[in-house]
Amino acid sequence: MTYHLAIDIGASSGRHILAHLEDGKICLEEIYRFDNSQVRKNGHDCWDHDALARHVIAGIKACATAGKIPATVGIDTWGVDFILLDKDLAPCSDMVAYRDARTEGMDKVVEAALPFDEHYGKTGIQKAVFNTIYQLAALKREAPEQLAKAAHFLMVPDYLNFRLTGKLSNEYTDATTTALVNARTKTWDPEVLDRLGLPKGIFGELTMPGTSLGGFTSEVKAEVGFDAEVVVPACHDTGSAYLAVPARDDQAIYLSSGTWSIIGVENPDPITTPASCAANFSNEGGAWYRFRFLKNIMGLWMIQSIRRQLNGVDYVEGKAKTGEGPEVLKDWTAHKHSFDELEKAARAAGDFPSVVDAADKRFFAPDSMIGAVRAACAESGQKVPETVGEVVQCVYQSLAASYAREAKLLASLTGKTYTSLNIVGGGSQDTYLNALTAKATGLEVFAGPTEGTSIGNLVVQFIHTGEFKDLAEARAAIARSF
């Protein structure tokens, strides 16, 4: 049996998924799972990069314990976040998290040197306050000595690959989320770097998915008890998730549903028109240079945040929170609310009419998600939700409405007619949201696979080893398997 290991790490948790082929189907087994959260460090919300590396290695070690040694290993994570290494390959910056407040106002700083329409014309990346370009602008203003000391720029999966192999690499799909990569030359844009005064020497040659970084370092081999080939997948989790979509034809819209909802399609070329710029759609690089034309929507982050509040947790991703709590809701009781319970409460409040703009930045990192939703309803003159079910129903309807709005806009920008919507990722299990989405968009909705990101990661490994000849063959197997 030939095993492959996908290490898929998100903003709240990570998982190690072992896979093998059996009778033409992909078989999955979760071998290790861990929590991921932010830590407060040097005045910023940061990721614990050493803890992430320890969990990556612990999960690999768990494969040996289970007696299932993978031939290849691939890592994917969220995008935009990074760490700097000095000439001795030691960290010379923190791995600051994208929800940290340091990027506030940095869009204006960047646009003073590089107007956004010009910037978009080069990179094709949507404007989002957390993009790497704004993080680097903030770092340059606050701690220029870190950039001066830096010899290497590594995004989160690049750093974890380095910890496994000792090899430095900058993977292409994740690099495109920086808004520093030219959409047409498919490499770092020297003019963008010059305009922002960033040191070009720290950005390495871009590595394509399917590239082998070789085996583990001697230290990692000694710790886990075996060696394996580290293969670079589409390291940006959305890039991997899109590979796993078992679309039936080219008239399908893709929706990667999780903490973020990411809606879009695959195109052979970037779309960087003024209309696309105004609509704030992104052209993120995909495996084999397939462009993911998409937009980020707030997603199930809103439901996750509400659940944390209802369960008496007064922080989100390690950040202390204050504000209007769950006690303002008439039916709130102090107990552990499950996602199933929240869905049932929303169904029961199905006639609640209010809808908010899920793309509103007020929902990005509010002191109170419940308070933010109620305030948005009040300010727009709508009925204010007063029960748990009404709050969650409002969010569900708002997400479905945002999917419908963006699907219609997507069709106008590409000039194509779409007939179906494929939802992948953990959010594809939410049958109520799927039904609301079908109703709002008027499209046929296909749900699954749930482990879309891990499967897309594994697809690159299977193709690398020749078990699938190409993406079409892999997607046919995905449709059979899940």
Side-chain angles (χ1 to χ4, degrees), residues 346-408:
R347 287 179 185 270
D351 59 350
F352 186 75
S354 302
V355 174
V356 299
D357 179 5
D360 192 320
K361 65 180 181 180
R362 74 165 73 207
F363 303 122
F364 181 66
D367 288 345
S368 164
M369 188 63 76
I370 292 170
V373 172
R374 283 166 50 85
C377 290
E379 290 170 18
S380 58
Q382 300 181 86
K383 185 177 180 181
V384 176
E386 296 185 345
T387 67
V388 171
E390 288 176 353
V391 170
V392 181
Q393 170 67 7
C394 177
V395 171
Y396 271 137
Q397 290 282 15
S398 301
L399 289 174
S402 69
Y403 301 159
R405 181 178 63 249
E406 299 303 340
K408 184 176 181 180

Coordinates of all heavy atoms in Angstrom, one line a residue, residues 346-408:
A346 N -31.9 28.3 13.9 CA -32.1 29.1 12.7 C -33.3 28.7 11.9 O -34.1 29.5 11.4 CB -30.8 29.1 11.9
R347 N -33.4 27.4 11.7 CA -34.6 26.8 10.9 C -35.9 27.3 11.6 O -36.8 27.6 10.9 CB -34.5 25.3 10.9 CG -33.4 24.8 9.9 CD -33.4 23.3 9.9 NE -32.3 22.7 9.1 CZ -32.4 22.4 7.8 NH1 -33.5 22.6 7.2 NH2 -31.4 21.8 7.2
A348 N -35.9 27.2 13.0 CA -37.1 27.5 13.7 C -37.4 29.0 13.5 O -38.6 29.4 13.7 CB -36.9 27.2 15.2
A349 N -36.4 29.8 13.3 CA -36.6 31.3 13.1 C -36.6 31.6 11.6 O -36.2 32.7 11.2 CB -35.5 32.0 13.9
G350 N -37.0 30.7 10.8 CA -36.9 30.8 9.3 C -37.6 32.0 8.7 O -37.3 32.5 7.6
D351 N -38.6 32.6 9.4 CA -39.3 33.7 8.9 C -38.7 35.1 9.3 O -39.2 36.1 9.0 CB -40.8 33.7 9.3 CG -41.0 33.6 10.8 OD1 -40.0 33.5 11.5 OD2 -42.1 33.8 11.2
F352 N -37.6 35.0 10.1 CA -36.9 36.3 10.5 C -36.4 37.0 9.2 O -35.7 36.5 8.5 CB -35.8 36.0 11.5 CG -35.2 37.3 12.1 CD1 -35.9 38.0 13.0 CD2 -34.0 37.8 11.6 CE1 -35.4 39.2 13.5 CE2 -33.5 39.0 12.1 CZ -34.2 39.7 13.1
P353 N -36.8 38.3 9.0 CA -36.6 38.9 7.7 C -35.3 39.7 7.5 O -34.9 39.9 6.4 CB -37.8 39.9 7.7 CG -37.9 40.3 9.1 CD -37.7 39.1 9.9
S354 N -34.6 40.0 8.6 CA -33.4 40.9 8.4 C -32.2 40.3 7.8 O -31.9 39.1 8.1 CB -33.1 41.5 9.8 OG -34.2 42.2 10.4
V355 N -31.5 41.1 7.0 CA -30.3 40.6 6.3 C -29.2 41.7 6.4 O -29.6 42.9 6.2 CB -30.6 40.3 4.8 CG1 -29.3 40.0 4.0 CG2 -31.6 39.2 4.7
V356 N -28.0 41.3 6.7 CA -26.9 42.3 6.7 C -25.9 42.0 5.6 O -26.0 41.0 4.9 CB -26.2 42.2 8.1 CG1 -27.1 42.5 9.2 CG2 -25.5 40.8 8.3
D357 N -25.0 43.0 5.4 CA -24.0 42.8 4.4 C -22.8 42.0 5.0 O -22.0 42.5 5.8 CB -23.5 44.2 3.9 CG -22.4 44.1 2.8 OD1 -22.1 43.0 2.4 OD2 -21.9 45.1 2.5
A358 N -22.7 40.7 4.6 CA -21.7 39.9 5.2 C -20.3 40.4 4.8 O -19.3 39.9 5.5 CB -21.9 38.4 4.7
A359 N -20.1 41.2 3.8 CA -18.8 41.7 3.4 C -18.4 42.9 4.2 O -17.3 43.4 4.1 CB -18.8 42.0 1.9
D360 N -19.3 43.4 5.1 CA -19.0 44.6 5.9 C -17.8 44.4 6.8 O -17.8 43.4 7.5 CB -20.2 45.0 6.7 CG -20.1 46.4 7.3 OD1 -19.0 46.8 7.8 OD2 -21.1 47.1 7.4
K361 N -16.8 45.3 6.8 CA -15.6 45.1 7.6 C -15.9 45.0 9.1 O -15.0 44.6 9.9 CB -14.6 46.2 7.3 CG -15.0 47.6 7.6 CD -13.9 48.6 7.3 CE -14.2 50.0 7.7 NZ -13.2 50.9 7.3
R362 N -17.1 45.5 9.5 CA -17.4 45.4 10.9 C -17.4 44.0 11.4 O -17.3 43.7 12.6 CB -18.8 46.1 11.2 CG -20.0 45.3 10.7 CD -21.3 45.8 11.3 NE -21.7 47.1 10.7 CZ -22.4 48.0 11.3 NH1 -22.8 47.8 12.6 NH2 -22.8 49.1 10.7
F363 N -17.6 43.0 10.5 CA -17.7 41.6 10.9 C -16.3 40.9 10.9 O -16.2 39.7 11.2 CB -18.7 40.8 10.1 CG -20.1 41.4 10.1 CD1 -20.7 41.9 8.9 CD2 -20.7 41.6 11.3 CE1 -21.9 42.4 8.9 CE2 -22.0 42.1 11.3 CZ -22.6 42.6 10.1
F364 N -15.3 41.6 10.5 CA -13.9 41.0 10.4 C -13.3 40.6 11.7 O -12.9 39.5 11.8 CB -13.0 42.0 9.7 CG -11.6 41.5 9.4 CD1 -11.4 40.5 8.6 CD2 -10.5 42.1 10.1 CE1 -10.1 40.0 8.3 CE2 -9.2 41.6 9.9 CZ -9.0 40.6 9.0
A365 N -13.4 41.4 12.7 CA -12.8 41.1 14.0 C -13.5 41.9 15.1 O -12.9 42.7 15.8 CB -11.3 41.3 14.1
P366 N -14.9 41.8 15.2 CA -15.6 42.7 16.2 C -15.4 42.3 17.6 O -15.1 41.1 17.9 CB -17.0 42.5 15.8 CG -17.1 41.1 15.2 CD -15.8 40.9 14.5
D367 N -15.6 43.2 18.5 CA -15.6 42.9 20.0 C -16.7 41.8 20.3 O -16.5 41.0 21.1 CB -15.8 44.1 20.8 CG -14.6 45.0 20.8 OD1 -13.5 44.6 20.4 OD2 -14.7 46.2 21.2
S368 N -17.8 42.0 19.6 CA -18.9 41.1 19.8 C -19.6 40.8 18.4 O -20.1 41.8 17.8 CB -19.9 41.7 20.8 OG -21.2 41.0 20.7
M369 N -19.6 39.6 17.9 CA -20.2 39.3 16.7 C -21.7 39.5 16.8 O -22.4 40.0 15.9 CB -19.9 37.9 16.2 CG -20.4 37.6 14.8 SD -19.7 38.7 13.5 CE -18.0 38.0 13.3
I370 N -22.3 39.0 17.9 CA -23.7 39.2 18.2 C -24.1 40.7 18.2 O -25.1 41.1 17.5 CB -24.1 38.5 19.5 CG1 -24.0 37.0 19.4 CG2 -25.6 38.9 19.9 CD1 -24.1 36.3 20.8
G371 N -23.3 41.5 18.9 CA -23.5 42.9 18.9 C -23.4 43.5 17.5 O -24.2 44.4 17.2
A372 N -22.4 43.1 16.7 CA -22.2 43.7 15.4 C -23.4 43.4 14.5 O -23.8 44.2 13.7 CB -20.9 43.1 14.8
V373 N -23.9 42.2 14.6 CA -25.1 41.8 13.7 C -26.3 42.6 14.2 O -27.0 43.2 13.3 CB -25.4 40.3 13.8 CG1 -26.7 39.9 13.2 CG2 -24.2 39.5 13.2
R374 N -26.5 42.7 15.5 CA -27.7 43.5 16.0 C -27.6 44.9 15.6 O -28.6 45.6 15.2 CB -27.8 43.3 17.5 CG -28.4 42.0 17.9 CD -28.2 41.7 19.4 NE -28.6 42.8 20.2 CZ -29.8 43.0 20.7 NH1 -30.8 42.1 20.3 NH2 -30.1 44.0 21.5
A375 N -26.4 45.5 15.7 CA -26.2 46.9 15.4 C -26.4 47.2 13.9 O -27.0 48.2 13.5 CB -24.8 47.3 15.8
A376 N -25.9 46.3 13.0 CA -26.1 46.4 11.6 C -27.6 46.4 11.2 O -28.0 47.2 10.4 CB -25.4 45.3 10.8
C377 N -28.4 45.6 11.9 CA -29.8 45.5 11.6 C -30.5 46.8 12.1 O -31.3 47.4 11.4 CB -30.4 44.3 12.3 SG -30.0 42.7 11.7
A378 N -30.1 47.3 13.3 CA -30.7 48.5 13.8 C -30.3 49.7 12.9 O -31.2 50.6 12.6 CB -30.2 48.8 15.2
E379 N -29.1 49.8 12.5 CA -28.7 51.0 11.7 C -29.3 51.0 10.3 O -29.5 52.1 9.7 CB -27.1 51.0 11.5 CG -26.4 51.3 12.8 CD -24.9 51.0 12.7 OE1 -24.4 50.9 11.5 OE2 -24.2 50.8 13.7
S380 N -29.7 49.9 9.8 CA -30.4 49.8 8.5 C -31.9 49.8 8.6 O -32.6 49.7 7.6 CB -29.9 48.5 7.7 OG -30.2 47.4 8.5
G381 N -32.4 50.0 9.8 CA -33.8 50.1 10.0 C -34.6 48.8 10.0 O -35.8 48.8 9.8
Q382 N -33.9 47.7 10.1 CA -34.5 46.4 10.1 C -34.8 45.9 11.5 O -34.3 46.5 12.5 CB -33.6 45.4 9.4 CG -33.2 45.7 7.9 CD -32.4 44.7 7.3 OE1 -32.8 43.7 6.8 NE2 -31.0 44.9 7.4
K383 N -35.6 44.9 11.6 CA -35.9 44.2 12.8 C -34.6 43.7 13.5 O -33.8 43.1 12.8 CB -36.9 43.1 12.7 CG -37.3 42.5 13.9 CD -38.4 41.4 13.7 CE -38.9 40.8 15.0 NZ -39.9 39.7 14.8
V384 N -34.4 44.0 14.7 CA -33.2 43.6 15.5 C -33.4 42.2 16.0 O -34.4 41.9 16.7 CB -32.8 44.6 16.6 CG1 -31.6 44.0 17.4 CG2 -32.5 45.9 16.0
P385 N -32.5 41.2 15.8 CA -32.7 39.9 16.3 C -32.6 39.8 17.8 O -31.7 40.4 18.4 CB -31.5 39.1 15.7 CG -30.5 40.1 15.3 CD -31.3 41.3 14.9
E386 N -33.5 39.1 18.4 CA -33.6 39.1 19.9 C -33.4 37.7 20.5 O -33.4 37.5 21.7 CB -34.9 39.7 20.4 CG -35.0 41.2 20.0 CD -36.3 41.8 20.6 OE1 -37.2 41.0 21.0 OE2 -36.4 43.0 20.6
T387 N -33.3 36.7 19.6 CA -33.1 35.3 20.1 C -31.9 34.7 19.4 O -31.4 35.2 18.4 CB -34.3 34.4 19.8 OG1 -34.5 34.2 18.4 CG2 -35.6 35.0 20.4
V388 N -31.4 33.6 19.9 CA -30.3 32.9 19.3 C -30.6 32.5 17.8 O -29.8 32.8 16.9 CB -29.9 31.6 20.1 CG1 -28.9 30.8 19.3 CG2 -29.3 32.0 21.5
G389 N -31.8 31.9 17.7 CA -32.2 31.5 16.3 C -32.3 32.7 15.3 O -31.9 32.6 14.2
E390 N -32.8 33.8 15.8 CA -32.9 35.0 14.9 C -31.5 35.5 14.5 O -31.3 35.9 13.4 CB -33.7 36.1 15.6 CG -35.2 35.7 15.7 CD -36.0 36.8 16.5 OE1 -35.4 37.7 17.1 OE2 -37.3 36.6 16.5
V391 N -30.6 35.5 15.4 CA -29.2 36.0 15.1 C -28.6 35.1 14.1 O -28.1 35.6 13.0 CB -28.3 36.1 16.4 CG1 -26.9 36.3 16.0 CG2 -28.8 37.2 17.3
V392 N -28.7 33.8 14.3 CA -28.1 32.8 13.4 C -28.8 32.8 12.0 O -28.2 32.7 10.9 CB -28.0 31.4 14.0 CG1 -27.3 30.4 13.0 CG2 -27.2 31.5 15.3
Q393 N -30.1 32.9 12.0 CA -30.9 32.9 10.8 C -30.5 34.2 10.0 O -30.4 34.1 8.8 CB -32.4 33.0 11.1 CG -33.3 33.3 9.9 CD -33.3 32.2 8.9 OE1 -32.7 31.1 9.1 NE2 -34.0 32.4 7.8
C394 N -30.3 35.3 10.7 CA -29.9 36.5 10.0 C -28.6 36.3 9.3 O -28.4 36.7 8.1 CB -29.8 37.7 11.0 SG -29.2 39.2 10.3
V395 N -27.6 35.7 9.9 CA -26.3 35.4 9.3 C -26.4 34.4 8.2 O -25.9 34.7 7.1 CB -25.3 34.9 10.4 CG1 -24.0 34.4 9.7 CG2 -25.0 36.0 11.4
Y396 N -27.2 33.4 8.3 CA -27.4 32.4 7.2 C -28.0 33.0 6.0 O -27.5 32.9 4.9 CB -28.3 31.3 7.7 CG -27.6 30.1 8.4 CD1 -28.1 29.5 9.5 CD2 -26.4 29.5 7.9 CE1 -27.5 28.4 10.1 CE2 -25.8 28.4 8.4 CZ -26.4 27.9 9.6 OH -25.8 26.8 10.2
Q397 N -29.0 33.8 6.2 CA -29.7 34.5 5.0 C -28.7 35.5 4.4 O -28.7 35.6 3.2 CB -31.0 35.1 5.5 CG -32.1 34.2 5.9 CD -32.8 33.6 4.7 OE1 -32.3 33.7 3.5 NE2 -34.0 33.0 4.9
S398 N -27.9 36.1 5.2 CA -27.0 37.1 4.7 C -25.9 36.5 3.9 O -25.5 37.0 2.9 CB -26.4 37.9 5.9 OG -27.4 38.6 6.7
L399 N -25.4 35.3 4.4 CA -24.4 34.6 3.6 C -25.0 34.2 2.2 O -24.3 34.3 1.2 CB -23.9 33.4 4.4 CG -23.0 33.8 5.6 CD1 -22.6 32.5 6.4 CD2 -21.7 34.5 5.1
A400 N -26.1 33.6 2.3 CA -26.8 33.1 1.0 C -27.0 34.3 0.1 O -26.8 34.1 -1.1 CB -28.1 32.4 1.3
A401 N -27.4 35.4 0.6 CA -27.6 36.6 -0.3 C -26.3 37.1 -0.9 O -26.3 37.5 -2.0 CB -28.3 37.7 0.6
S402 N -25.2 37.0 -0.1 CA -23.9 37.4 -0.6 C -23.4 36.5 -1.7 O -22.9 36.9 -2.7 CB -22.9 37.5 0.5 OG -22.6 36.3 1.0
Y403 N -23.7 35.2 -1.5 CA -23.3 34.2 -2.6 C -24.1 34.5 -3.9 O -23.5 34.5 -5.0 CB -23.6 32.8 -2.1 CG -22.9 32.3 -0.9 CD1 -23.4 31.2 -0.1 CD2 -21.8 32.9 -0.4 CE1 -22.8 30.8 1.0 CE2 -21.2 32.5 0.8 CZ -21.7 31.4 1.5 OH -21.1 31.0 2.6
A404 N -25.4 34.8 -3.7 CA -26.2 35.1 -4.9 C -25.7 36.4 -5.6 O -25.6 36.4 -6.8 CB -27.6 35.2 -4.5
R405 N -25.4 37.4 -4.8 CA -24.9 38.6 -5.4 C -23.6 38.4 -6.1 O -23.4 38.9 -7.3 CB -24.7 39.7 -4.3 CG -24.3 41.0 -4.7 CD -24.2 42.0 -3.6 NE -23.2 41.6 -2.6 CZ -23.5 41.2 -1.4 NH1 -24.8 41.1 -1.0 NH2 -22.5 40.9 -0.5
E406 N -22.7 37.7 -5.5 CA -21.3 37.6 -6.1 C -21.4 36.6 -7.3 O -20.6 36.8 -8.3 CB -20.3 37.1 -5.1 CG -20.1 38.0 -3.9 CD -19.7 39.4 -4.3 OE1 -19.2 39.6 -5.4 OE2 -19.9 40.3 -3.5
A407 N -22.3 35.6 -7.3 CA -22.4 34.7 -8.4 C -22.9 35.5 -9.7 O -22.4 35.2 -10.8 CB -23.4 33.6 -8.1
K408 N -23.9 36.4 -9.4 CA -24.4 37.2 -10.5 C -23.3 38.1 -11.1 O -23.1 38.3 -12.3 CB -25.6 38.0 -10.0 CG -26.3 38.8 -11.1 CD -27.5 39.5 -10.6 CE -28.3 40.3 -11.6 NZ -29.5 41.0 -11.1

